[in-house]
């Protein structure tokens, strides 16, 4: 007669029986790896972000294009074959040729050289506006999100006030009265409107992170507010800040070009892409005056958007695959 075995209630459940099977622990795997002479190297979140960005083909193509274009603007004195003010009355409105790659304008100035110098002006405006507006937005958003209460209400109502202003009308008026055709004055005017978006983003992140356990631990250990804000919370907001700052460069270049196109931005003799495009209105049959600086402006903005998309995907901790 066979043994019926233990009562049904005393039998081990199947899950428990399966769990009884010996499995190699993570510590054992690490020890075995070290004994085999292999190195165990932990990767940080930034290393994963760098790998994801390098695998983003559109972002890398945009980055290469930006490096080439911005380098040409920075070293315009060496890249441009002529000075942007050099006049050649023997080649007025000349078509593109081997001597003048982009043709000449109405007084014989080399349009390729003027476009290169226009790139320098546009990148100065874009980078200045992006950096300064990001700093302002970061400080205002961090203070509002960390302290909350009355300070948060005051700073956010100030932000809402700036957002409700008619930007185009104020930009045109301020540029006409205060700009005086200088790229730095125009940059300061644009900065006044560009900090609001980042301030709201940073405020939201600080509101969600200020109650985290590591922030409470830092506060309990005696860390001050500034140390907690900029040492413990700020590193977790760098992703949105980098993406927003990158996209702000392209937005500032577009707005400056629009103001210069309308005659309220950077004034001659300083060349800018917007003013170069605007000069073609007087000579619609001379296509090169409008097409070449327009194509350069389009390439700059598209490249910046590609880089911004790549950074957003790379810095997103929930992103596990490259979309392009």
């Amino acid at each position: 007669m066979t043994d019926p075995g233990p009562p049904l209630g005393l039998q081990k459940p199947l899950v428990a029986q399966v769990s009884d099977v010996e499995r190699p622990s993570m510590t054992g795997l690490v020890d075995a790896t070290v004994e085999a002479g292999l190195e165990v190297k932990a990767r940080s979140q930034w290393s994963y972000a760098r790998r994801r960005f390098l695998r983003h083909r559109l972002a890398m193509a945009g980055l290469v294009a930006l490096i080439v274009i911005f380098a040409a603007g920075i070293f315009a004195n060496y890249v441009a074959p002529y000075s942007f003010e050099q006049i050649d009355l023997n080649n007025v409105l000349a078509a593109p040729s081997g001597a003048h790659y982009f043709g000449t304008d109405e007084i014989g100035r080399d349009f390729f050289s003027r476009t290169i110098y226009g790139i320098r002006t546009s990148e100065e405006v874009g980078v200045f506006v992006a950096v300064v507006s990001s700093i302002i937005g970061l400080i205002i958003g961090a203070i509002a999100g960390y302290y909350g209460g009355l300070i948060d209400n005051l700073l956010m109502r100030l932000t809402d006030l700036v957002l409700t202003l008619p930007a185009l009308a104020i930009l045109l008026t301020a540029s006409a009265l205060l700009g005086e055709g200088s790229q730095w004055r125009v940059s300061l005017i644009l900065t006044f409107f560009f900090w609001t978006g980042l301030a709201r983003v940073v405020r939201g992140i600080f509101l969600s992170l200020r109650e985290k356990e590591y922030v409470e631990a830092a506060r309990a250990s005696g860390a001050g507010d500034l140390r907690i804000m900029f040492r413990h919370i700020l590193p977790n907001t760098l992703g949105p800040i980098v993406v927003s700052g990158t996209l702000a460069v392209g937005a500032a270049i577009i707005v400056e070009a629009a103001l210069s196109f309308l005659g309220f931005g950077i004034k001659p003799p300083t060349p800018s892409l917007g003013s170069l495009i605007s000069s073609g209105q007087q000579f619609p049959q001379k296509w090169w005056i409008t097409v070449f600086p327009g194509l350069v402006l389009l390439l700059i903005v598209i490249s910046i958007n590609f880089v911004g998309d790549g950074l957003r995907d790379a810095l997103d901790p929930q992103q596990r695959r490259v979309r392009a």
Side-chain angles (χ1 to χ4, degrees), residues 11 68 89 103 107-108 131 137-138 143 170 191 226-227 247 258 261 271:
Q11 292 180 353
V68 173
L89 297 178
I107 57 176
V131 171
L138 170 62
I143 294 175
I170 293 180
T191 303
L226 291 179
R227 179 175 176 81
L247 297 177
F261 180 84

Side-chain angles (χ1 to χ4, degrees), residues 9 52-53 57 76 97 109 130 165 269 284 298 304:
R52 287 195 293 264
F53 181 78
R57 292 187 293 273
S97 63
R109 293 175 295 190
L165 296 176
L298 177 64
I304 291 175

Side-chain angles (χ1 to χ4, degrees), residues 3 33 75 88 106 122 134 139 141 152 159 177 179 226 280 282 284:
D3 185 9
T33 304
F75 301 102
D88 184 6
E106 67 275 10
S122 296
S134 297
I139 294 175
D152 181 25
T159 304
L177 298 179
L226 291 179
Q282 305 174 10

Side-chain angles (χ1 to χ4, degrees), residues 29-101:
L29 290 175
V30 174
D31 293 339
T33 304
V34 174
E35 291 176 0
L38 300 178
E39 181 181 0
V40 179
K41 183 178 181 181
R43 288 178 177 172
S44 65
Q45 182 64 31
W46 289 105
S47 65
Y48 283 109
R50 183 173 61 253
R51 291 182 62 192
R52 287 195 293 264
F53 181 78
L54 293 176
R55 292 178 180 176
H56 198 293
R57 292 187 293 273
L58 289 179
M60 292 305 300
L63 180 62
V64 171
L66 274 184
I67 292 175
V68 173
I69 295 173
F70 279 10
I74 294 172
F75 301 102
N77 295 335
Y78 305 98
V79 176
Y82 306 94
S83 170
F84 68 89
E85 294 180 308
Q86 184 175 344
I87 298 174
D88 184 6
L89 297 178
N90 295 323
N91 290 286
V92 175
L93 294 175
S97 63
H100 302 284
Y101 304 133

